[in-house]
Amino acid sequence: MKKFLPAVALMGASAIALAGCAGTGGGTSSGGSAQIRVWLVGTDTPQDARDYLVKTFEDQNPGSTLVIEEQQWTGLVDKLTTSLSSNDSPDVVEMGNTQAPAFTSSGALLSLGDIEDELGGSDLLPGFVEAGSWDGELYAAPYYSGSRVVFYNTAQYAQAGVSVPTTLDEYVSNGVTLAAALPGVSGVYFPGKDWYNGLPFIWENGGEVAVQSDDGSWDAQLSSAESIAGLEQVQELMTKASSAPKDGDETEGWVPFRTQQAATYSAPSWAYWSIVADEDKQATAVAETTGEFALPGAKGGAAQVFAGGSNVGIAAKSKNPELAKSALEIMLSDEYQTILAEAGLVPAKTSLGDKVAAATPELASVIASAAVNAKLTPASPNWADVEAQGIMQDLFVNIAGGGDVASLAAAADEQIESILNG
């Protein structure tokens, strides 16, 4: 019997448009009694962790209080942009890992260089440290990660006569076969705006979104022959294997899977708990027929997948930077990070990776396999503007609509280069 933990909502990464925020220093308080405001986004952070943060902070800082203000991914960046530049800024803020470079380069966050060792130092996830650093200085620490894995309905696979794929080609052909054999069911649930799940097809075919030249300029490569081969695979899945909305996003994609309207669903590993348990923590219909595998690569093995997750930093305009640092140190402590791991999130510290809760040994193995080859978006502070303008989302929506892949990719390259080199 699988062990059911509280459902953890899937994080959908948000677009970000950050105007320059003035200042690189903090407020004037060096401690004392105050109220600290912590912005956490969505419901990914479990209640146990929230309770631990509040209690531990208030125990360690008598007379001070900590308030968690939950934000939504949709519209988050506009709200952060305004708040971080105001005189009523929150103290500690969570942001998506692809958003972090824009914040770190804008002066919106306080340097964490003086407490980096206390936060974990060399034990912190290196890719997320890179995303949260600017000019060699850490501004946004890793918070949690979660590489994408593939969930599948074992009963529906058996009904359609397909098995777990060993290559990316087989993954695509399986999706088409499943959709044909199971009327009204998505062989692979793939909404049009879900560009995160489109990236592996580009990478596995040898393509890239954009690469930086020696002179610092960016060359967008979605229209390369390799990238187009991957985008054509995506189009086949979206048009022949998926019944998901062609203009829909990945938000709550576990719902059609757990209601057996999708046979295959690729998502961050923590989506597992939202699949096997509903909002009332009751087992769902697919709890006993859910299997997992790592998205296969073009030549077998595990594919390169997008590494989702969050970074967390302190607002440069925090009025209580020392208390904010105290809160951040708690959030990066072994105890707090273990709570995240037990809820299915990959912790910010590599030494705690074995704490990730997995209902089956297979899921634990799949998470580890997927994490090995996980990649991030181009490491440009201007990448946030690419997301903010919806260029990748629009590209995949148009691909889902059956548009000409080559011309759509060329147009996206032109837009991306204009932004990254602007």
Side-chain angles (χ1 to χ4, degrees):
M1 176 66 68
K2 295 180 178 178
K3 179 182 178 183
F4 299 117
L5 296 185
V8 178
L10 172 66
M11 183 192 80
S14 250
I16 169 175
L18 182 65
C21 296
T24 56
T28 58
S29 174
S30 59
S33 299
Q35 182 183 82
I36 294 297
R37 297 164 58 206
V38 176
W39 280 17
L40 295 179
V41 190
T43 57
D44 303 314
T45 300
Q47 189 60 46
D48 286 350
R50 298 171 189 235
D51 293 342
Y52 179 86
L53 174 59
V54 172
K55 183 178 188 307
T56 305
F57 175 86
E58 294 180 355
D59 285 348
Q60 292 181 359
N61 300 279
S64 293
T65 58
L66 185 147
V67 175
I68 295 173
E69 300 175 355
E70 184 173 309
Q71 308 300 316
Q72 300 305 312
W73 289 105
T74 301
L76 168 70
V77 177
D78 286 341
K79 193 169 184 180
L80 270 176
T81 301
T82 301
S83 296
L84 289 175
S85 60
S86 75
N87 292 323
D88 188 32
S89 172
D91 298 284
V92 179
V93 292
E94 177 187 356
M95 67 207 73
N97 60 323
T98 65
Q99 304 167 351
F103 286 99
T104 61
S105 63
S106 70
L109 301 175
L110 192 68
S111 169
L112 303 178
D114 60 330
I115 60 168
E116 186 170 355
D117 288 342
E118 286 78 1
L119 297 177
S122 60
D123 194 24
L124 297 172
L125 293 171
F128 282 66
V129 169
E130 181 180 357
S133 298
W134 178 253
D135 198 23
E137 190 89 4
L138 182 66
Y139 289 89
Y143 184 41
Y144 64 80
S145 177
S147 297
R148 276 164 167 70
V149 302
V150 181
F151 302 97
Y152 75 106
N153 187 309
T154 58
Q156 290 178 324
Y157 267 52
Q159 183 180 345
V162 299
S163 56
V164 172
T166 58
T167 66
L168 201 57
D169 280 339
E170 287 182 10
Y171 181 77
V172 175
S173 62
N174 273 5
V176 175
T177 298
L178 285 159
L182 306 169
V185 173
S186 289
V188 174
Y189 186 78
F190 209 145
K193 291 182 181 178
D194 188 7
W195 61 278
Y196 305 105
N197 273 317
L199 292 176
F201 293 86
I202 294 171
W203 293 330
E204 282 301 308
N205 281 277
E208 293 286 350
V209 176
V211 297
Q212 192 170 26
S213 303
D214 291 340
D215 64 2
S217 64
W218 287 89
D219 176 25
Q221 298 190 353
L222 292 172
S223 58
S224 70
E226 294 82 4
S227 294
I228 287 175
L231 293 174
E232 287 176 342
Q233 286 184 308
V234 171
Q235 187 170 61
E236 184 172 3
L237 280 175
M238 286 181 161
T239 58
K240 297 181 180 180
S242 177
S243 299
K246 303 306 181 189
D247 60 350
D249 61 28
E250 70 280 0
T251 303
E252 296 190 347
W254 59 80
V255 174
F257 182 85
R258 76 186 189 189
T259 55
Q260 302 181 75
Q261 295 176 337
T264 315
Y265 170 51
S266 175
S269 54
W270 63 80
Y272 176 82
W273 309 110
S274 293
I275 289 172
V276 300
D278 62 20
E279 287 74 13
D280 296 322
K281 302 179 185 179
Q282 300 301 307
T284 61
V286 298
E288 297 299 331
T289 58
T290 295
E292 309 87 26
F293 59 86
L295 182 72
K299 297 180 180 179
Q304 302 168 87
V305 294
F306 174 71
S310 287
N311 285 61
V312 61
I314 296 172
K317 289 199 170 188
S318 169
K319 294 181 175 63
N320 300 281
E322 296 305 318
L323 288 173
K325 289 176 183 178
S326 174
L328 192 61
E329 288 177 18
I330 295 169
M331 294 172 74
L332 271 294
S333 68
D334 286 0
E335 294 79 7
Y336 183 94
Q337 286 290 316
T338 296
I339 297 173
L340 298 187
E342 289 173 347
L345 304 171
V346 177
K349 294 180 175 179
T350 58
S351 62
L352 299 178
D354 62 352
K355 302 292 185 182
V356 178
T360 68
E362 291 80 7
L363 179 56
S365 176
V366 168
I367 292 172
S369 297
V372 168
N373 289 328
K375 293 184 62 171
L376 298 175
T377 50
S380 164
N382 291 340
W383 176 257
D385 293 328
V386 174
E387 292 192 27
Q389 295 185 31
I391 292 172
M392 296 296 287
Q393 294 93 325
D394 290 346
L395 169 64
F396 283 93
V397 165
N398 288 326
I399 286 174
D404 180 72
V405 172
S407 61
L408 290 171
D413 275 351
E414 185 176 347
Q415 292 175 293
I416 290 172
E417 287 185 3
S418 175
I419 293 172
L420 296 188
N421 294 323

